[in-house]
Amino acid sequence: MVVERQRPGTLEVICGPMFSGKSEELIRRLRRARIARQRIQAFKPALDDRYDAVAIASHAESRFEALPVADSLELARLLEPDVEVVAIDEVQFFDEGLLSLVETMADRGIRVILAGLDLDSEGRPFGIMPQVLARAEHVLKLQAICTECGAGASRTYRKVRTGGQVLVGAADLYEARCRHCHREVDASQVTLDGATGGHE
Ligand code: ADP
Ligand code: ZN
Protein backbone atom coordinates (compact mmCIF):
# COMPACT_ATOMS: atom_id res chain seq x y z
CA MET A 1 0.00 0.00 0.00
CA VAL A 2 1.30 3.40 -0.92
CA VAL A 3 0.88 5.86 1.90
CA GLU A 4 0.84 9.43 0.71
CA ARG A 5 2.77 11.50 3.17
CA GLN A 6 2.94 15.23 3.37
CA ARG A 7 6.36 16.60 2.53
CA PRO A 8 8.10 17.57 5.78
CA GLY A 9 8.95 21.24 6.05
CA THR A 10 12.49 22.34 6.80
CA LEU A 11 14.40 25.45 7.72
CA GLU A 12 17.72 25.96 5.87
CA VAL A 13 20.06 28.86 6.56
CA ILE A 14 22.95 30.10 4.42
CA CYS A 15 25.20 32.54 6.29
CA GLY A 16 28.62 34.15 6.09
CA PRO A 17 30.13 37.59 5.39
CA MET A 18 29.48 39.78 2.36
CA PHE A 19 30.87 38.39 -0.91
CA SER A 20 30.88 34.81 0.44
CA GLY A 21 28.35 33.64 -2.16
CA LYS A 22 25.18 33.48 -0.05
CA SER A 23 22.98 34.95 -2.77
CA GLU A 24 24.61 32.71 -5.40
CA GLU A 25 23.92 29.64 -3.25
CA LEU A 26 20.34 30.75 -2.58
CA ILE A 27 19.76 31.30 -6.32
CA ARG A 28 21.32 27.88 -7.11
CA ARG A 29 18.88 26.15 -4.73
CA LEU A 30 15.93 28.08 -6.17
CA ARG A 31 16.85 27.16 -9.75
CA ARG A 32 16.93 23.50 -8.76
CA ALA A 33 13.55 23.82 -7.02
CA ARG A 34 12.20 25.39 -10.21
CA ILE A 35 13.52 22.45 -12.25
CA ALA A 36 11.63 20.21 -9.81
CA ARG A 37 8.51 22.28 -10.69
CA GLN A 38 7.97 23.40 -7.13
CA ARG A 39 5.96 26.50 -6.38
CA ILE A 40 8.44 29.11 -5.19
CA GLN A 41 8.19 32.55 -3.62
CA ALA A 42 11.29 34.64 -2.94
CA PHE A 43 11.45 37.75 -0.78
CA LYS A 44 13.97 40.40 0.19
CA PRO A 45 13.82 43.42 2.49
CA ALA A 46 12.68 46.54 0.67
CA LEU A 47 15.66 48.51 1.96
CA ASP A 48 18.16 46.32 0.13
CA ASP A 49 17.97 47.57 -3.46
CA ARG A 50 21.71 47.67 -4.12
CA TYR A 51 21.56 45.66 -7.31
CA ASP A 52 17.95 45.11 -8.16
CA ALA A 53 14.67 46.19 -6.53
CA VAL A 54 12.73 43.10 -7.65
CA ALA A 55 15.27 40.28 -7.57
CA ILE A 56 17.77 38.53 -5.36
CA ALA A 57 21.00 39.50 -7.07
CA SER A 58 24.55 38.34 -6.38
CA HIS A 59 27.71 40.40 -6.69
CA ALA A 60 28.47 38.30 -9.76
CA GLU A 61 25.16 39.45 -11.29
CA SER A 62 23.24 36.23 -11.09
CA ARG A 63 19.57 36.95 -10.25
CA PHE A 64 16.22 35.41 -9.27
CA GLU A 65 13.03 37.45 -9.09
CA ALA A 66 11.94 38.34 -5.57
CA LEU A 67 9.29 40.49 -3.92
CA PRO A 68 10.58 43.38 -1.81
CA VAL A 69 8.78 43.55 1.56
CA ALA A 70 8.88 46.10 4.37
CA ASP A 71 8.64 43.56 7.22
CA SER A 72 7.49 40.08 8.28
CA LEU A 73 3.82 41.17 8.31
CA GLU A 74 3.89 42.18 4.68
CA LEU A 75 5.71 38.96 3.81
CA ALA A 76 3.00 36.91 5.59
CA ARG A 77 0.29 38.76 3.67
CA LEU A 78 1.90 37.97 0.31
CA LEU A 79 2.31 34.22 0.93
CA GLU A 80 0.34 32.10 -1.50
CA PRO A 81 -1.61 29.19 0.01
CA ASP A 82 -0.04 26.55 -2.24
CA VAL A 83 3.61 27.70 -1.98
CA GLU A 84 6.15 24.89 -1.49
CA VAL A 85 9.48 26.75 -1.27
CA VAL A 86 9.95 30.14 0.40
CA ALA A 87 13.30 31.93 0.11
CA ILE A 88 14.25 35.06 2.03
CA ASP A 89 17.49 36.96 1.40
CA GLU A 90 19.18 39.45 3.76
CA VAL A 91 17.38 38.00 6.78
CA GLN A 92 19.49 40.07 9.20
CA PHE A 93 17.40 43.13 8.25
CA PHE A 94 14.08 41.56 9.31
CA ASP A 95 12.10 42.08 12.53
CA GLU A 96 11.60 39.41 15.22
CA GLY A 97 8.18 38.54 13.78
CA LEU A 98 9.97 36.60 11.07
CA LEU A 99 11.03 33.95 13.62
CA SER A 100 7.52 32.65 14.36
CA LEU A 101 6.54 33.07 10.71
CA VAL A 102 9.37 30.85 9.39
CA GLU A 103 8.69 28.25 12.10
CA THR A 104 4.98 28.18 11.19
CA MET A 105 5.82 27.82 7.50
CA ALA A 106 8.23 24.94 8.15
CA ASP A 107 5.69 23.28 10.49
CA ARG A 108 3.17 23.41 7.64
CA GLY A 109 5.46 21.53 5.27
CA ILE A 110 7.14 24.43 3.47
CA ARG A 111 10.85 24.31 2.62
CA VAL A 112 12.11 27.63 3.98
CA ILE A 113 15.54 28.80 2.77
CA LEU A 114 17.05 31.84 4.48
CA ALA A 115 20.24 33.73 3.66
CA GLY A 116 21.87 36.48 5.67
CA LEU A 117 24.88 37.98 7.36
CA ASP A 118 25.67 36.17 10.61
CA LEU A 119 27.85 39.06 11.83
CA ASP A 120 27.70 42.82 11.43
CA SER A 121 30.76 44.85 10.45
CA GLU A 122 31.79 45.09 14.12
CA GLY A 123 31.84 41.29 14.35
CA ARG A 124 28.67 41.09 16.46
CA PRO A 125 25.80 38.65 15.77
CA PHE A 126 23.42 40.43 13.39
CA GLY A 127 19.71 40.91 14.24
CA ILE A 128 17.64 37.73 14.33
CA MET A 129 20.34 35.61 12.65
CA PRO A 130 21.43 33.81 15.86
CA GLN A 131 17.83 32.74 16.49
CA VAL A 132 17.22 31.49 12.96
CA LEU A 133 20.54 29.63 12.97
CA ALA A 134 19.60 27.87 16.22
CA ARG A 135 16.22 26.81 14.84
CA ALA A 136 17.40 25.57 11.43
CA GLU A 137 17.75 21.91 10.43
CA HIS A 138 20.48 22.77 7.93
CA VAL A 139 23.12 25.49 8.20
CA LEU A 140 25.73 26.40 5.61
CA LYS A 141 28.39 28.88 6.69
CA LEU A 142 30.32 30.27 3.75
CA GLN A 143 33.58 32.21 3.58
CA ALA A 144 34.68 34.90 1.13
CA ILE A 145 38.30 35.72 0.25
CA CYS A 146 40.08 38.18 2.52
CA THR A 147 40.93 41.26 0.47
CA GLU A 148 44.04 41.87 2.61
CA CYS A 149 45.73 38.47 2.74
CA GLY A 150 43.80 36.02 0.52
CA ALA A 151 42.78 33.70 3.37
CA GLY A 152 39.21 32.55 3.95
CA ALA A 153 37.18 35.55 5.13
CA SER A 154 34.54 35.17 7.85
CA ARG A 155 34.08 38.89 8.58
CA THR A 156 32.77 41.97 6.76
CA TYR A 157 34.91 45.07 7.12
CA ARG A 158 33.36 48.52 6.74
CA LYS A 159 35.73 50.91 5.02
CA VAL A 160 34.06 54.04 6.37
CA ARG A 161 33.57 55.08 9.98
CA THR A 162 30.03 56.49 9.57
CA GLY A 163 26.64 54.85 10.14
CA GLY A 164 25.10 52.46 12.66
CA GLN A 165 24.63 48.70 12.36
CA VAL A 166 22.62 49.12 9.13
CA LEU A 167 24.36 50.97 6.30
CA VAL A 168 23.40 49.51 2.95
CA GLY A 169 26.23 49.34 0.46
CA ALA A 170 28.44 46.97 -1.50
CA ALA A 171 32.10 46.97 -2.53
CA ASP A 172 32.07 50.78 -2.21
CA LEU A 173 31.64 50.45 1.56
CA TYR A 174 32.54 46.91 2.53
CA GLU A 175 35.16 44.26 1.98
CA ALA A 176 35.58 40.68 3.12
CA ARG A 177 38.31 40.04 5.68
CA CYS A 178 39.63 37.15 7.74
CA ARG A 179 39.51 37.26 11.54
CA HIS A 180 43.01 38.73 11.76
CA CYS A 181 42.73 41.40 9.07
CA HIS A 182 39.29 42.44 10.33
CA ARG A 183 40.88 43.96 13.39
CA GLU A 184 42.39 47.22 12.31
CA VAL A 185 45.91 46.37 13.34
CA ASP A 186 47.86 49.29 14.66
CA ALA A 187 51.42 48.99 15.75
CA SER A 188 50.66 49.72 19.37
CA GLN A 189 47.91 47.09 19.62
CA VAL A 190 48.78 44.51 22.24
CA THR A 191 47.78 40.93 21.45
CA LEU A 192 46.93 38.22 23.93
CA ASP A 193 50.47 36.92 24.22
CA GLY A 194 51.79 40.43 24.80
CA ALA A 195 53.35 40.86 21.37
CA THR A 196 52.44 43.81 19.17
CA GLY A 197 49.67 43.55 16.53
CA GLY A 198 49.74 41.77 13.22
CA HIS A 199 49.92 38.10 12.40
CA GLU A 200 52.23 35.69 10.64
P1 ADP B 1 26.87 37.41 -0.74
O1 ADP B 1 25.40 37.19 -1.04
O2 ADP B 1 27.39 36.47 0.31
O3 ADP B 1 27.22 38.84 -0.46
P2 ADP B 1 27.22 37.02 -3.55
O4 ADP B 1 26.62 35.69 -3.91
O5 ADP B 1 26.40 38.24 -3.83
O6 ADP B 1 27.69 36.99 -2.03
O7 ADP B 1 28.60 37.26 -4.34
C1 ADP B 1 29.62 36.29 -4.42
C2 ADP B 1 30.53 36.71 -5.55
O8 ADP B 1 31.19 37.92 -5.21
C3 ADP B 1 31.68 35.76 -5.85
O9 ADP B 1 31.30 34.69 -6.68
C4 ADP B 1 32.67 36.68 -6.56
O10 ADP B 1 32.35 36.77 -7.93
C5 ADP B 1 32.38 38.05 -5.97
N1 ADP B 1 33.41 38.56 -5.04
C6 ADP B 1 33.79 39.86 -4.96
N2 ADP B 1 34.70 40.05 -3.96
C7 ADP B 1 34.91 38.84 -3.39
C8 ADP B 1 35.72 38.37 -2.29
N3 ADP B 1 36.50 39.19 -1.58
N4 ADP B 1 35.67 37.05 -1.97
C9 ADP B 1 34.88 36.20 -2.70
N5 ADP B 1 34.09 36.59 -3.72
C10 ADP B 1 34.08 37.89 -4.08
ZN1 ZN C 1 43.28 38.38 6.04
Side-chain angles (χ1 to χ4, degrees), residues 68-80:
V69 289
D71 52 25
S72 61
L73 263 182
E74 187 181 4
L75 197 158
R77 271 201 299 273
L78 291 171
L79 281 176
E80 287 161 10

Side-chain angles (χ1 to χ4, degrees), residues 29 45 58 91 112 114 121 175 179:
R29 293 184 193 187
S58 81
V91 162
V112 182
L114 308 176
S121 59
E175 57 192 32
R179 174 185 290 276

Side-chain angles (χ1 to χ4, degrees), residues 146 148-151 177-178 180-181 199:
C146 176
E148 291 287 298
C149 75
R177 294 216 180 166
C178 72
H180 298 285
C181 301
H199 69 103

Side-chain angles (χ1 to χ4, degrees), residues 17-24 57-60 144-145 147 176:
M18 281 179 72
F19 309 103
S20 62
K22 300 183 297 298
S23 300
E24 276 175 358
S58 81
H59 295 106
I145 303 298
T147 51

Side-chain angles (χ1 to χ4, degrees), residues 87-171:
I88 310 173
D89 201 6
E90 305 288 1
V91 162
Q92 76 279 356
F93 291 144
F94 277 89
D95 56 286
E96 295 228 330
L98 197 74
L99 293 173
S100 54
L101 180 60
V102 297
E103 286 273 46
T104 305
M105 288 192 282
D107 288 347
R108 293 194 181 155
I110 295 173
R111 178 183 177 199
V112 182
I113 318 174
L114 308 176
L117 290 166
D118 43 2
L119 299 174
D120 66 14
S121 59
E122 299 288 314
R124 296 169 303 208
F126 207 150
I128 60 169
M129 284 303 283
Q131 283 97 316
V132 301
L133 284 163
R135 287 175 167 86
E137 276 92 355
H138 305 284
V139 172
L140 177 64
K141 186 152 175 160
L142 296 169
Q143 294 199 337
I145 303 298
C146 176
T147 51
E148 291 287 298
C149 75
S154 57
R155 305 283 192 276
T156 308
Y157 179 81
R158 190 188 285 175
K159 298 193 265 185
V160 296
R161 284 257 147 258
T162 52
Q165 191 180 38
V166 177
L167 176 66
V168 174

